[in-house]
Amino acid sequence: RTMASKEVPAKAEEALRSKMKHLAHKMCKKNIEDFVACSRKFNLAVVLACREENRQMNECTNKYTNSEVLEDIKTQWLKQGKPSSHEWMPNVKPK
């Protein structure tokens, strides 16, 4: 574990993880919408018919939801003085 991980309480880490996922959904909105539209169109055949949309959605979201990004978010949170405001959002770059 990194220094940032050791200094971030579990409850705060859970909230930071939630922010990370929220940002991933925001940054990958088009990919997610494309997959959802495809899955609605093909119902049970979604696994085969929407393979490319699923791959693109996962590729995008994985750039924003990995341990490297989480560590960066924790470091930002610590450097900002552990803000408790729900409005605080980290500056996330894909990794």
Side-chain angles (χ1 to χ4, degrees), residues 34-43 45-56:
D34 289 349
F35 176 73
V36 169
C38 183
S39 65
R40 285 186 178 142
K41 184 177 175 184
F42 290 102
N43 265 341
V46 69
V47 174
L48 296 172
C50 304
R51 192 175 293 166
E52 182 58 22
E53 290 84 351
N54 187 46
R55 186 192 65 74
Q56 289 180 12

Side-chain angles (χ1 to χ4, degrees), residues 25-84:
H25 283 214
K26 186 176 173 183
M27 301 304 282
C28 300
K29 185 176 180 179
K30 181 177 178 350
N31 300 92
I32 293 168
E33 288 173 349
D34 289 349
F35 176 73
V36 169
C38 183
S39 65
R40 285 186 178 142
K41 184 177 175 184
F42 290 102
N43 265 341
L44 295 175
V46 69
V47 174
L48 296 172
C50 304
R51 192 175 293 166
E52 182 58 22
E53 290 84 351
N54 187 46
R55 186 192 65 74
Q56 289 180 12
M57 177 185 68
N58 287 332
E59 190 175 285
C60 184
T61 56
N62 288 341
K63 290 180 193 174
Y64 297 96
T65 57
N66 58 61
S67 57
E68 205 175 332
V69 171
L70 182 59
E71 287 304 311
D72 187 41
I73 289 171
K74 289 178 190 178
T75 300
Q76 288 179 48
W77 183 74
L78 291 168
K79 285 182 179 176
Q80 294 284 319
K82 301 179 183 180
S84 58

Side-chain angles (χ1 to χ4, degrees), residues 7-32:
E7 293 181 45
V8 177
K11 194 82 169 161
E13 182 172 333
E14 186 180 318
L16 294 175
R17 208 176 274 278
S18 179
K19 287 181 185 289
M20 177 178 69
K21 289 177 184 177
H22 171 78
L23 288 168
H25 283 214
K26 186 176 173 183
M27 301 304 282
C28 300
K29 185 176 180 179
K30 181 177 178 350
N31 300 92
I32 293 168

